[in-house]
Structure formats: structure tokens, C-alpha cells
Amino acid sequence: EAGVAQSPRYKIIEKRQSVAFWCNPISGHATLYWYQQILGQGPKLLIQFQNNGVVDDSQLPKDRFSAERLKGVDSTLKIQPAKLEDSAVYLCASSQTSGTQYFGPGTRLTVL
Amino acid sequence: GDSVTQMEGPVTLSEEAFLTINCTYTATGYPSLFWYVQYPGEGLQLLLKATKADDKGSNKGFEATYRKETTSFHLEKGSVQVSDSAVYFCALKVVGGSNYKLTFGKGTLLTVNP
């Protein structure tokens, strides 16, 4: 069974530029999550989708971050404009409803 | 709110040594508890879990027991190997409606030397 796929694996941008990350969850998983992992800290949930509806986006900085999950499968997370403090690893995870969350390899973002 | 506190790292051990990584939690509801492991260059992998008090999760020689009275879920392994070198995260999940978010500790880096 294929795992959670993410791309790109690494991205370096200047502050105030925009960036987008892509996630393809495990087939059949209705729930998709985006987490932000800042160096030296544990992952923090940014947004949770159930199919293509948003369940929780209370920790998403909505003035610069946006996410969508069209057709309830793939998802994209966008940052516009990026700030230095957005440097982090962005992890995508998926699960069958409330079951075990399976994580992708992450995208490491560096904002200069 | 919900939170997880785990032992500060890094932890450095010799092969075959005994490992304990402490984890305590506070939760508004009745949580499920997890240990995730992150090997260098890879994503998080579920190592073990426990869903109710006194449950013991185990996998690959690692164990952790859900202790409600001490709000703890300490990770143990009797004899570590070099291949166990990784970052270990303790996490909890309190299901509220359809919200299934994991709350993580800061992680503990384990290095095992031959």
C-alpha cells in the first residue's frame, strides 16, 4: 500500500514570496491533516479536512496561509507572503476517519 | 488545554543499554496516547499506542503503559540497538466531535553508539 506522498521535499524562498505544498493521502482515507513542525518542537496541527470539508483550522494563520482539498483527495497548502518564522517542516498525514494517522516525509521550507 | 511534556534530550546510550523516555500529559478529556518515531530524513511513524488506562502498547521491543493516576506514558526498551537512533515523540488525541488532532511533545533525540 502506497504511503502519504508529499512534494516538494525541500523548498528555499525569500521572505514575502509565495509557496505551495502538495499532498496525496493514502487511498480511501477520508481525513487529511497538515502539521507544522518548527525545529526543536513537536508538530502542531494547522488544519484538518474530513473529505473536502474543513473540521479544524483554528491554528492556521489565515492572513497568509490557505489550504484546500478539492474532490476530497489531494490537498495543497499555500503560504503568501512567507515570513522568516514560517521556516519549518510541513507534514501531511491521513487517516480513516478517527483512526491511526499516517505521515508523509514532509516538506522542509527555508525562508531567507 | 491539552499538552504533552516529555523528557529533554538528547539521550545518548551504548548499545544494549536500557532506555526510558518520560512522558506526562494533561488533557481536557479522556485521551488516547501514542509514541511516534522519526528516523533521519523520514516522516513520523507510529511506534505504539494505548487507548485506555492500564493498557500497555508494545512494538519492536518498545513498551509503554497508560497510567491514568500519574498521567504518564513512559517509553521503555530493555536493550537498545544502533538502529533505534531517532527522535521520539509522545502524543495524545482527545476526540471531540470530528476533531482528531494529535497534540505532540517536543521530541527526544536518542543516539545509540555501538
Side-chain angles (χ1 to χ4, degrees):
Chain A
E1 177 182 87
V4 177
Q6 290 188 247
S7 67
R9 292 294 308 274
Y10 305 92
K11 190 73 178 178
I12 301 174
I13 62 173
E14 302 276 337
K15 61 182 178 183
R16 292 188 290 274
Q17 286 187 323
S18 63
V19 64
F21 312 128
W22 173 83
C23 173
N24 181 239
I26 293 172
S27 178
H29 281 192
T31 312
L32 185 147
Y33 315 77
W34 284 102
Y35 289 85
Q36 179 192 55
Q37 185 179 11
I38 292 173
L39 186 65
Q41 298 182 20
K44 180 186 78 173
L45 181 72
L46 292 175
I47 189 166
Q48 176 192 327
F49 291 95
Q50 184 78 13
N51 296 306
N52 46 334
V54 175
V55 172
D56 181 0
D57 63 357
S58 58
Q59 298 292 305
L60 188 73
K62 298 180 188 63
D63 57 333
R64 298 182 300 106
F65 286 64
S66 64
E68 60 181 9
R69 190 183 184 198
L70 300 176
K71 301 180 182 177
V73 182
D74 292 7
S75 177
T76 56
L77 176 69
K78 297 179 182 177
I79 308 174
Q80 181 178 17
K83 293 185 174 181
L84 296 177
E85 59 261 35
D86 299 331
S87 294
V89 177
Y90 291 85
L91 296 166
C92 180
S94 69
S95 68
Q96 290 182 333
T97 322
S98 63
T100 298
Q101 294 182 28
Y102 295 89
F103 285 79
T107 297
R108 182 177 298 278
L109 173 68
T110 302
V111 182
L112 302 176
Chain B
D2 301 336
S3 67
V4 174
T5 302
Q6 63 180 102
M7 164 178 174
E8 295 274 334
V11 174
T12 303
L13 296 173
S14 297
E15 207 164 24
E16 299 184 3
F18 183 84
L19 169 71
T20 300
I21 300 178
N22 290 337
C23 171
T24 58
Y25 66 90
T26 58
T28 52
Y30 192 19
S32 295
L33 301 173
F34 305 82
W35 277 99
Y36 277 81
V37 59
Q38 189 172 37
Y39 297 103
E42 298 184 16
L44 290 164
Q45 300 176 26
L46 178 65
L47 181 59
L48 52 84
K49 67 179 182 181
T51 58
K52 61 182 188 295
D54 299 324
D55 267 3
K56 178 185 283 187
S58 61
N59 187 26
K60 299 181 181 180
F62 291 88
E63 294 183 337
T65 301
Y66 189 143
R67 301 287 188 200
K68 187 179 178 185
E69 63 276 13
T70 54
T71 62
S72 65
F73 192 54
H74 304 322
L75 182 68
E76 296 182 336
K77 187 174 185 183
S79 176
V80 293
Q81 305 300 312
V82 172
S83 57
D84 294 327
S85 297
V87 181
Y88 292 81
F89 292 92
C90 185
L92 66 82
K93 179 172 70 175
V94 177
V95 176
S98 54
N99 188 325
Y100 313 133
K101 78 172 186 181
L102 287 166
T103 299
F104 287 89
K106 291 187 176 181
T108 302
L109 173 63
L110 170 66
T111 301
V112 180
N113 294 319

